[in-house]
């Protein structure tokens, strides 16, 4: 695979200064801002189509804090080599506020598993592949975006090279392009520059902990999720296995200033299973809670976290980032091939409509689950009780591992509805008792 080549800002300022008006035979020029799964997938799709593609990434050696779980279908759909997978999780345990546990291993089909990766490994591979397809990697921080005066005028992307940002003084650069893909995360500069609107964000906090060999063996194929007000008022805590360590973390929207207290909560809940471990890295990062009001503005399209494509309830984002980036890049390339232009109307048809048709229902369903079950310990106890049901587990894995909303079995769905109501009634009592005991512990 081709090595990632980097070019000086001066070269870009010269080579991209031509007018943006359509010229016979001229390739589409696109700046993709952000080199994670969303940006790298968009860049690969664009470069593979013949577009001149600039992939701007402020920190190619960096890593986003992330649990690192991906659905099994992503390995084949995005041709991810199996040797990038650190762990193949075949046991998923969800632990309630009262420490009751539901084990998800019963419903997994033979050979099925949840792949666990490190983001620095996955992101680097996807960027290299984009470069191999013809994208030009630009290590730099985007500082502003000059908007075009008319439909044939270019966008001007202003950036500082990463070398200068580190004090090595290699200058600033400007790219003139026909379209821009904003794949620069929850705090997207591109979204702010085009007035795409704001949204609520959560904070994800994670410690990478290297465990003694015996403790690490316990997590060889096991991932744990903990729910409860002590680990997060509106999300969950996790212990996910990596190559030679575990990722222990939590997330919240409502209690960001208390994130360190919540992290202490997840460490306490995991307790002796992570005892004797050594923290090797501490990470924190914002993640979106819902899609932005505007995901396409002119010839600028937002993808991944910048667009708000992280599911509530599960917090999943890697697959949706890569998928949205690829769909967006394909839509830009297809419209340019047909018409010699990229337009807002074309992006709405070719990108947003395809995305919403495939995933809008899934996002709304998971949003509903989050509001029903994460509002208090009673709901969380009911959630874990339901997760012990094999029918629930099978439907969950079918949806998560293969990214499809599978029609349910009528009698199974009716039984599930009855169990849900029963669980909510029973666990209302359990949840109130757990909350009472925790208040008493705090007063002791």
């Amino acid at each position: 695979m081709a090595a990632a080549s980097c070019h000086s800002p001066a070269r870009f300022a010269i080579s991209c200064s031509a007018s943006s008006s359509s010229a016979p035979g001229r390739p589409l020029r696109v700046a993709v801002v952000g080199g994670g799964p969303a940006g790298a997938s968009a860049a690969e799709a664009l470069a593979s189509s013949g577009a001149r593609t600039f992939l701007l990434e402020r920190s190619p050696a960096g890593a986003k804090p992330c649990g690192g779980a991906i659905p099994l279908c992503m390995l084949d759909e995005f041709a991810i080599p199996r040797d990038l997978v650190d762990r193949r999780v075949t046991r998923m345990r969800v632990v309630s506020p009262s420490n009751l546990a539901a084990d998800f291993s019963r419903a997994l089909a033979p050979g099925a598993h949840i792949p666990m990766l490190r983001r620095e490994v996955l992101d680097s591979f996807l960027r290299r592949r984009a470069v191999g397809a013809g994208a030009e990697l630009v290590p730099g921080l985007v500082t502003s975006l000059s908007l075009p005066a008319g439909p044939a005028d270019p966008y001007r992307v202003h950036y500082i090279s990463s070398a200068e940002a580190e004090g090595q003084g290699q200058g600033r650069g400007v790219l003139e392009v026909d379209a821009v893909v904003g794949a620069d995360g929850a705090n997207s500069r591109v979204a702010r520059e085009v007035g795409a609107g704001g949204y609520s964000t959560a904070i994800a906090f994670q410690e990478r902990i290297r465990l003694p060999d015996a403790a690490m063996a316990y997590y060889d194929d096991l991932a744990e999720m903990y729910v409860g007000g002590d680990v997060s008022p509106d999300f969950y805590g996790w212990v996910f296995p990596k190559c030679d360590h575990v990722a222990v973390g939590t997330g919240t929207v409502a209690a960001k200033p208390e994130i360190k207290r919540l992290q202490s909560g997840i460490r306490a809940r995991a307790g002796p299973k992570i005892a004797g471990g050594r923290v090797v890295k501490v990470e924190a990062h914002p993640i979106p809670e819902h899609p932005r009001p505007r995901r396409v503005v002119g010839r600028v399209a937002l993808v991944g976290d910048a667009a708000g494509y992280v599911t509530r309830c599960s917090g999943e984002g890697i697959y949706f980032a890569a998928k949205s980036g690829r769909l967006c890049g394909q839509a830009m390339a297809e419209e340019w091939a047909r018409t010699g232009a990229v337009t807002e109307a074309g992006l709405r048809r070719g990108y947003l409509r395809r995305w919403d048709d495939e995933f809008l229902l899934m996002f709304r369903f998971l949003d509903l689950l989050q509001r029903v079950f994460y509002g208090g310990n009673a709901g969380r106890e009911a959630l874990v009780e339901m997760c012990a049901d094999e029918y629930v587990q099978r439907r969950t894995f079918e949806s998560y591992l293969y990214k499809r909303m599978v029609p349910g079995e009528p009698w199974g769905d009716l039984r599930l509805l009855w169990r849900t109501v029963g669980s909510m009634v029973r666990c209302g009592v359990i949840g109130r008792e757990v909350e009472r005991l925790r208040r008493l512990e705090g007063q002791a």
Side-chain angles (χ1 to χ4, degrees):
M1 185 169 293
S5 59
C6 306
H7 304 280
S8 70
R11 176 186 170 187
F12 285 123
I14 294 171
S15 65
C16 296
S17 61
S19 167
S20 184
S21 58
S22 184
R26 177 175 72 74
L28 169 65
R29 302 166 303 175
V30 182
V32 180
V33 182
S41 298
E44 182 186 10
L46 286 159
S48 297
S49 75
R52 184 160 192 200
T53 307
F54 304 98
L55 178 58
L56 294 104
E57 169 55 44
R58 64 180 297 179
S59 181
K64 177 184 172 182
C66 180
I70 64 171
L72 185 59
C73 65
M74 188 173 178
L75 295 178
D76 289 332
E77 185 175 347
F78 287 86
I80 296 172
R82 269 49 176 182
D83 60 5
L84 297 189
V85 177
D86 286 333
R87 301 277 176 173
R88 291 164 176 80
V89 168
T90 56
R91 296 183 296 142
M92 174 67 77
R93 185 169 296 147
V94 184
V95 185
S96 79
S98 62
N99 284 325
L100 297 175
D103 195 326
F104 267 69
S105 59
R106 290 183 300 150
L108 269 178
H113 62 275
I114 302 172
M116 291 282 181
L117 307 92
R118 284 164 290 162
R119 279 292 300 273
E120 59 268 34
V121 174
L122 175 64
D123 293 10
S124 178
F125 166 77
L126 293 174
R127 282 194 296 269
R128 289 197 307 272
R129 192 163 69 183
V131 170
E136 300 176 58
L137 180 63
V138 186
L141 171 66
V142 171
T143 57
S144 63
L145 186 65
S146 297
L147 306 182
D153 296 323
Y155 287 87
R156 293 173 61 85
V157 181
H158 305 265
Y159 69 96
I160 303 173
S161 72
S162 293
E164 185 188 48
E166 296 169 1
Q168 298 177 28
Q170 290 194 8
R172 298 171 179 260
V174 180
L175 297 171
E176 291 191 352
V177 293
D178 304 297
V180 178
V181 178
D184 48 341
N187 291 331
S188 172
R189 163 73 69 175
V190 173
R192 291 199 300 273
E193 292 290 313
V194 300
Y199 53 15
S200 299
T201 60
I203 183 170
F205 186 94
Q206 175 174 279
E207 295 172 302
R208 300 194 189 199
I209 301 177
R210 189 160 288 139
L211 301 178
D213 290 345
M216 196 66 225
Y218 174 80
Y219 285 107
D220 181 55
D221 61 353
L222 171 67
E224 292 182 324
M225 297 169 58
Y226 292 81
V227 292
D230 56 333
V231 299
S232 176
D234 48 11
F235 201 53
Y236 62 86
W238 62 85
V239 182
F240 288 169
K242 304 293 184 179
C243 61
D244 60 354
H245 62 277
V246 291
V248 181
T250 184
T252 181
V253 175
K256 294 179 190 177
E258 299 181 62
I259 190 66
K260 290 188 177 179
R261 177 183 66 79
L262 298 173
Q263 180 67 9
S264 297
I266 178 61
R267 292 192 62 155
R269 292 280 294 281
K273 291 178 285 188
I274 60 171
R278 179 171 60 90
V279 176
V280 295
K281 192 173 186 180
V282 179
E283 307 165 305
H285 199 82
I287 55 176
E289 273 290 285
H290 55 78
R292 284 193 191 272
R294 305 174 71 192
R295 292 168 288 162
V296 169
V297 182
R299 288 173 273 140
V300 177
L302 303 176
V303 296
D305 283 14
Y309 296 148
V310 174
T311 58
R312 299 186 76 180
C313 187
S314 67
E316 182 190 1
I318 298 175
Y319 174 83
F320 297 115
K323 185 73 171 186
S324 62
R326 176 179 283 181
L327 282 176
C328 180
Q330 290 171 341
M332 286 183 172
E334 289 166 3
E335 186 180 18
W336 182 269
R338 289 195 313 270
T339 69
V342 173
T343 65
E344 180 170 334
L347 286 172
R348 290 185 179 280
R349 286 192 304 270
Y351 162 45
L352 290 189
R353 186 177 297 172
R354 290 179 188 173
W355 173 268
D356 289 346
D357 286 349
E358 190 164 355
F359 298 113
L360 183 59
L361 178 61
M362 182 179 295
F363 271 66
R364 287 179 174 172
F365 175 71
L366 291 172
D367 180 67
L368 175 63
L369 288 185
Q370 198 271 348
R371 286 187 280 116
V372 169
F373 291 109
Y374 281 62
N377 278 344
R380 297 179 187 112
E381 292 286 350
L383 173 66
V384 175
E385 183 176 299
M386 286 174 52
C387 286
D389 184 272
E390 188 169 351
Y391 179 71
V392 172
Q393 293 184 15
R394 190 169 72 250
R395 294 293 306 278
T396 300
F397 278 128
E398 286 171 350
S399 173
Y400 174 74
L401 292 179
Y402 306 107
K403 285 295 164 284
R404 56 176 183 254
M405 294 288 285
V406 180
E409 303 162 10
W411 285 111
D413 286 346
L414 185 61
R415 184 171 61 87
L416 175 58
L417 176 61
W418 181 251
R419 283 182 58 93
T420 302
V421 173
S423 294
M424 295 294 284
V425 171
R426 286 192 302 277
C427 293
V429 177
I430 296 174
R432 286 194 297 272
E433 181 63 17
V434 169
E435 288 167 355
R436 186 185 68 83
L437 291 174
R438 293 200 187 282
R439 284 197 301 270
L440 290 176
E441 288 176 3
Q443 294 168 4

